[in-house]
Amino acid sequence: MEGSKYCQPESGCASCGACCGMYNWVGYSRGMVEEVLEIQTGQFLRSDRTERDLRRLKKVISENRPAPLYPVIYNCEFLGFIGNGNKRVGCLLHPGLNGGNNLRGISDHGRETCDESRCTACIYLSGAEAGLVAETTDDWYLYGLCLTDLDLTREFFRIASERVSATVSAEQVGAGPELKDIFRRYLLLKEQWPFAEKGNRFGKYYFQDGKYLIHRIDYQGLSAPESGYDRILNSLGSEFRSKAELGEAEERLDRIFEEFSRSLPG
Ligand code: SF4
Ligand code: SF4
């Protein structure tokens, strides 16, 4: 967790703390996460960083935070803003911030897990795909949301390729300013999607009775056929009240993919 170039891309504001519980709050939003991270960062910077003080801090912080979305996932008390004028998120216990001392043993994950674990994005997304997500989001909040949602990125390339009957690659998108801008607007939907259920969803997952489950859109209940955008709609946390809403959502995605197809050099 928190160490590879996927976690901390070299430049800009893209940075991730998703596996440290960054979004794991009921009704999470940019404002809520920012407040939690600001408090955690402030407390940490005021501490003397001895084990005793860090343990005290851990207790104080964990007792005064919003309700976790999925309590089985650890919301680390030491995730915070680590630089670039509070525009990057990361591990406050990282040796690079503590004169070479690795303080991560204090976290519930433990030092080894924090130092070595890699999420599915690190395994399954190519360097070019992750780099494109970093460059186009360039943001501490949106990057982790998009990076860790494999369906969101993969479906974009699958559908775009299908539309033009040719393989569309991350490298190709990265090389074209217009294509990059369309991809950026697509990723922005992850935060601004009007059909998203905000309280209890994390992408396609929802949480009930201490379990996480995969959400399925009830097409039958909406009297509609399954959407060609089904995976994207679930990634965006969609919950539709009517067939008309579903249609509106599909039209928004149609417009993005149509514009993208038109912008691809022939
Ligand atoms: S979720 Fe993945 S990319 Fe993000 S900090 Fe964890 S290991 Fe790194
Ligand atoms: S101590 Fe571990 S879990 Fe906590 S922020 Fe650092 S890497 Fe994440």
Side-chain angles (χ1 to χ4, degrees), residues 42-235:
Q43 298 257 28
F44 178 77
L45 292 178
R46 284 191 293 277
S47 106
D48 63 14
R49 305 187 196 188
T50 57
E51 184 173 344
R52 189 168 167 214
D53 201 38
L54 292 177
R55 292 213 178 279
R56 176 196 62 78
L57 204 68
K58 192 164 184 261
K59 187 166 183 294
V60 171
I61 289 174
S62 61
E63 285 170 357
N64 292 285
R65 299 192 295 181
L69 186 57
Y70 185 45
V72 174
I73 293 176
Y74 172 46
N75 289 10
C76 185
E77 299 84 356
F78 301 102
L79 182 69
F81 287 115
I82 58 165
N84 202 2
N86 276 6
K87 300 263 173 50
R88 280 184 84 100
V89 67
C91 176
L92 297 165
L93 303 179
H94 190 280
L97 294 178
N98 295 288
N101 291 329
N102 189 330
L103 304 175
R104 290 165 155 179
I106 200 111
S107 80
D108 285 6
H109 278 148
R111 178 173 165 170
E112 205 174 313
T113 303
C114 291
D115 287 350
E116 291 173 15
S117 289
R118 296 288 176 263
C119 67
T120 50
C122 302
I123 297 166
Y124 295 112
L125 285 188
S126 69
E129 288 167 335
L132 182 66
V133 174
E135 216 182 307
T136 46
T137 55
D138 194 22
D139 176 57
W140 66 270
Y141 183 76
L142 193 58
Y143 173 66
L145 273 185
C146 296
L147 183 79
T148 56
D149 190 333
L150 295 183
D151 282 350
L152 190 73
T153 305
R154 288 178 152 187
E155 280 296 280
F156 182 89
F157 287 104
R158 188 187 69 75
I159 293 173
S161 301
E162 214 172 74
R163 291 272 177 125
V164 295
S165 306
T167 304
V168 175
S169 67
E171 288 87 346
Q172 193 179 0
V173 177
E178 222 180 314
L179 299 177
K180 238 159 85 175
D181 185 57
I182 298 165
F183 187 62
R184 183 186 62 78
R185 281 187 271 129
Y186 169 75
L187 294 182
L188 261 180
L189 297 178
K190 190 74 182 161
E191 190 181 353
Q192 300 176 354
W193 188 235
F195 310 100
E197 200 285 320
K198 299 281 186 199
N200 191 30
R201 285 282 293 273
F202 186 68
K204 66 183 173 188
Y205 301 106
Y206 71 101
F207 305 89
Q208 198 176 307
D209 305 327
K211 297 193 193 103
Y212 72 91
L213 303 154
I214 293 182
H215 182 263
R216 308 260 179 237
I217 294 168
D218 178 14
Y219 292 106
Q220 208 176 4
L222 294 169
S223 307
E226 181 173 318
S227 174
Y229 296 122
D230 181 67
R231 281 174 182 259
I232 297 177
L233 294 172
N234 276 311
S235 278

Side-chain angles (χ1 to χ4, degrees), residues 1-2 6-7 16-19 118-119 122 147-148:
M1 300 178 184
E2 230 299 301
Y6 286 64
C7 317
C16 184
C19 59
R118 296 288 176 263
C119 67
C122 302
L147 183 79
T148 56

